[in-house]
């Protein structure tokens, strides 16, 4: 049973460490949880800045619904970073519901988002609990930009671009391959999911702030089409994203296509093992701690309607730090007052887009957005 109000599950991973770091800055006591206590202890001591001043404990737990329920009992919030979430998420969500805790995660897996919405949202709502998957830079910062555009009434179409500088983590590399091999990617057209063409390859985008065309992918469809599917303001959402490194982007479709082709006839267990091995060949070590001069981010949203347009750009840095901060702030908020919405909800729906923007600005991770509205 947790003796701290927040549990960070998967705390030894790259993103988990950053959540712990920002929980320390908010003076929030937490449990650093995972499958290996020794690894957790080493990770906290060697990789979390200022950990000696944090109020925390370490908990080793098996990835089992009962064990997780027993651990979460007594906590108020669980921040889950253990992916692929479509593989490992159900036990954690079900344990949160059984223990009566709010659930947050960092997923970008659209199929997992849809599962949370359709299978678990009503149960969390009935219990007065928040189910908020996908609170992370690649999704929430773009959602903030979309919400700033939607402050102008009459806009119903969102065209979103999300770019960042850096490399995927070990876990996110595996997630990309599993997602591509086992599920489709959807955009929203007239409030219905429509599949992206899996054979389309790279898209070229005009990205604010640079002359060179950027290379992008649907990136699994992202969270935004799921969040906005029942929003009466919005009928259409499409999202493309990528990294600024063109060589890396050029290689992604070939790596994914090769992995999908090689595993298409395997049973699920063998496929997952093969994808894990492929991911390890692509990325087998943690990326270095982010440098704001190198790890920049750009979130750009064009919103349009029958008679109006708006464009919002948010320039930032350190996308993983943005993720860690928003997760920690969400937990900090939930310890003090209820969210704006219970059940399945996005970060902006639960905490407010201007509030989350202010948090990111106050820590120097994004600059003031540039918003252009055609009147």
């Amino acid at each position: 049973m947790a003796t701290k109000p927040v549990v960070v599950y998967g705390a030894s991973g790259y993103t988990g460490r950053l959540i712990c770091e920002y929980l320390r800055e908010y003076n929030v006591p937490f449990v650093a949880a995972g499958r290996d206590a020794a690894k957790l202890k080493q990770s906290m001591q060697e990789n979390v800045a200022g950990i000696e001043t944090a109020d925390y404990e370490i908990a080793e737990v098996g990835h089992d619904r009962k064990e997780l329920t027993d651990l979460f009992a007594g906590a108020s919030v669980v921040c889950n970073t253990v992916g692929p979430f479509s593989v490992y998420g159900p036990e954690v969500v079900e344990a949160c519901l059984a223990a009566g805790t709010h659930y947050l995660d960092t997923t970008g897996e659209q199929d997992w988002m849809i599962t949370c919405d359709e299978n678990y949202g009503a149960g969390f709502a009935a219990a007065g609990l928040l189910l908020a998957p996908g609170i992370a830079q690649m999704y929430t910062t773009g959602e903030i930009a979309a919400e700033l555009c939607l402050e102008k009434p009459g806009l119903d179409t969102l065209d979103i671009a999300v770019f960042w500088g850096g490399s995927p983590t070990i876990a996110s590399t595996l997630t990309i391959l599993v997602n591509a091999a086992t599920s489709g990617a959807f955009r929203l057209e007239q409030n219905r999911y429509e599949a992206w063409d899996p054979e389309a390859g790279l898209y070229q985008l005009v990205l604010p702030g640079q002359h060179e065309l950027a290379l992008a992918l649907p990136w699994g469809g992202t969270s935004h089409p799921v969040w906005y599917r029942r929003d009466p303001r919005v009928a259409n959402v499409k999202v493309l994203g990528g990294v600024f490194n063109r060589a890396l982007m050029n290689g992604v479709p070939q790596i994914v296509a090769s992995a999908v082709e090689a595993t298409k006839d395997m049973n699920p267990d063998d496929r997952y093992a093969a994808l894990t091995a492929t991911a390890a060949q692509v990325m087998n070590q943690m990326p270095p701690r982010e440098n704001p001069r190198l790890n920049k981010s750009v979130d750009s949203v064009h919103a349009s309607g029958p008679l109006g347009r708006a464009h919002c750009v948010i320039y930032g840095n350190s996308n993983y730090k943005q993720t860690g901060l928003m997760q920690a702030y969400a937990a900090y908020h939930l310890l003090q007052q209820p969210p704006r919405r219970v059940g399945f909800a996005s970060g902006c729906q639960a905490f407010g887009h201007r509030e989350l923007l202010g948090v990111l600005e106050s820590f120097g991770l994004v600059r003031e957005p540039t918003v252009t509205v055609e009147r």
Side-chain angles (χ1 to χ4, degrees), residues 125-246:
L129 297 171
L130 175 64
L131 173 63
I135 297 182
Q137 181 273 329
M138 193 174 171
Y139 318 102
T140 307
T141 311
E143 185 193 10
I144 293 169
E147 288 295 322
L148 292 172
C149 289
L150 291 170
E151 289 180 355
K152 174 180 171 57
L155 307 181
D156 64 5
T157 297
L158 300 173
D159 182 352
I160 302 174
V162 180
F163 273 77
W164 66 99
S167 301
T169 63
I170 298 170
S172 60
T173 302
L174 174 59
T175 297
I176 291 166
L177 293 179
V178 170
N179 196 243
T182 60
S183 61
F186 300 99
R187 57 189 182 275
L188 198 65
E189 292 187 8
Q190 294 303 312
N191 303 110
R192 295 187 301 271
Y193 292 132
E194 295 290 341
W196 288 92
D197 179 2
E199 307 296 329
L202 292 164
Y203 295 78
Q204 296 193 85
L205 298 187
V206 176
L207 196 64
Q210 67 180 52
H211 293 111
E212 185 178 38
L213 291 174
L215 300 179
L217 290 165
W219 227 259
T222 79
S223 305
H224 307 87
V226 186
W227 285 333
Y228 283 108
R229 187 167 70 94
R230 296 191 184 96
D231 190 318
R233 300 171 298 172
V234 177
N236 310 294
V237 181
K238 68 175 181 179
V239 188
L240 291 165
V243 298
F244 295 113
N245 185 329
R246 290 179 67 89

Side-chain angles (χ1 to χ4, degrees), residues 29 56 87 136 138 163 188 191-192 202 247 255 273 292 307 309 316 328 341 351:
Y56 79 103
V87 177
M138 193 174 171
F163 273 77
L188 198 65
N191 303 110
R192 295 187 301 271
L202 292 164
I255 294 169
L307 297 174
R309 301 185 70 86
R341 183 184 299 184
F351 306 109

Side-chain angles (χ1 to χ4, degrees), residues 12-326:
S12 63
Y14 191 90
T15 306
R17 300 175 198 164
L18 289 170
I19 296 172
C20 294
E21 184 175 325
Y22 283 111
L23 286 170
R24 184 200 72 86
E25 296 204 17
Y26 277 111
N27 294 314
V28 173
F30 64 90
V31 176
R35 291 176 294 180
D36 187 330
K39 184 177 180 181
L40 285 161
K41 182 178 180 180
Q42 180 182 12
S43 184
M44 291 298 105
Q45 293 177 345
E46 296 182 1
N47 300 110
V48 179
I51 192 63
E52 67 278 1
T53 63
D55 180 2
Y56 79 103
E57 64 184 34
I58 288 170
E60 184 173 286
V61 62
H63 191 81
D64 171 83
R65 184 183 183 277
K66 184 181 184 306
E67 285 192 46
L68 291 168
T69 301
D70 291 343
L71 173 64
F72 298 164
S76 297
V77 186
V78 171
C79 301
N80 181 24
T81 69
V82 177
F85 294 88
S86 59
V87 177
Y88 296 112
E91 294 89 344
V92 187
V93 166
E94 291 165 11
C96 283
L97 187 56
T101 64
H102 299 292
Y103 174 90
L104 314 172
D105 76 29
T106 59
T107 190
E109 300 162 54
Q110 197 178 75
D111 59 335
W112 172 239
M113 297 284 298
I114 293 171
T115 296
C116 286
D117 181 20
E118 296 180 352
N119 293 3
Y120 300 113
F124 272 75
L129 297 171
L130 175 64
L131 173 63
I135 297 182
Q137 181 273 329
M138 193 174 171
Y139 318 102
T140 307
T141 311
E143 185 193 10
I144 293 169
E147 288 295 322
L148 292 172
C149 289
L150 291 170
E151 289 180 355
K152 174 180 171 57
L155 307 181
D156 64 5
T157 297
L158 300 173
D159 182 352
I160 302 174
V162 180
F163 273 77
W164 66 99
S167 301
T169 63
I170 298 170
S172 60
T173 302
L174 174 59
T175 297
I176 291 166
L177 293 179
V178 170
N179 196 243
T182 60
S183 61
F186 300 99
R187 57 189 182 275
L188 198 65
E189 292 187 8
Q190 294 303 312
N191 303 110
R192 295 187 301 271
Y193 292 132
E194 295 290 341
W196 288 92
D197 179 2
E199 307 296 329
L202 292 164
Y203 295 78
Q204 296 193 85
L205 298 187
V206 176
L207 196 64
Q210 67 180 52
H211 293 111
E212 185 178 38
L213 291 174
L215 300 179
L217 290 165
W219 227 259
T222 79
S223 305
H224 307 87
V226 186
W227 285 333
Y228 283 108
R229 187 167 70 94
R230 296 191 184 96
D231 190 318
R233 300 171 298 172
V234 177
N236 310 294
V237 181
K238 68 175 181 179
V239 188
L240 291 165
V243 298
F244 295 113
N245 185 329
R246 290 179 67 89
L248 179 58
M249 285 302 298
N250 272 314
V252 170
Q254 287 84 357
I255 294 169
V256 170
S258 176
V260 171
E261 178 64 24
T263 62
K264 66 179 182 180
D265 297 323
M266 294 182 180
N267 65 53
D269 290 342
D270 290 344
R271 171 188 278 180
Y272 185 76
L275 293 172
T276 300
T278 300
Q281 293 173 4
V282 176
M283 174 62 69
N284 62 2
Q285 61 184 3
M286 292 285 189
R289 186 175 176 84
E290 290 169 307
N291 181 338
R293 296 177 64 246
L294 302 175
N295 301 111
K296 302 173 185 177
S297 66
V298 176
D299 291 86
S300 174
V301 177
H302 285 283
S304 60
L307 297 174
R309 301 185 70 86
H311 181 209
C312 179
V313 184
I314 300 179
Y315 295 104
N317 66 81
S318 307
N319 59 296
Y320 285 104
K321 288 183 182 178
Q322 290 182 46
T323 298
L325 173 58
M326 287 190 286

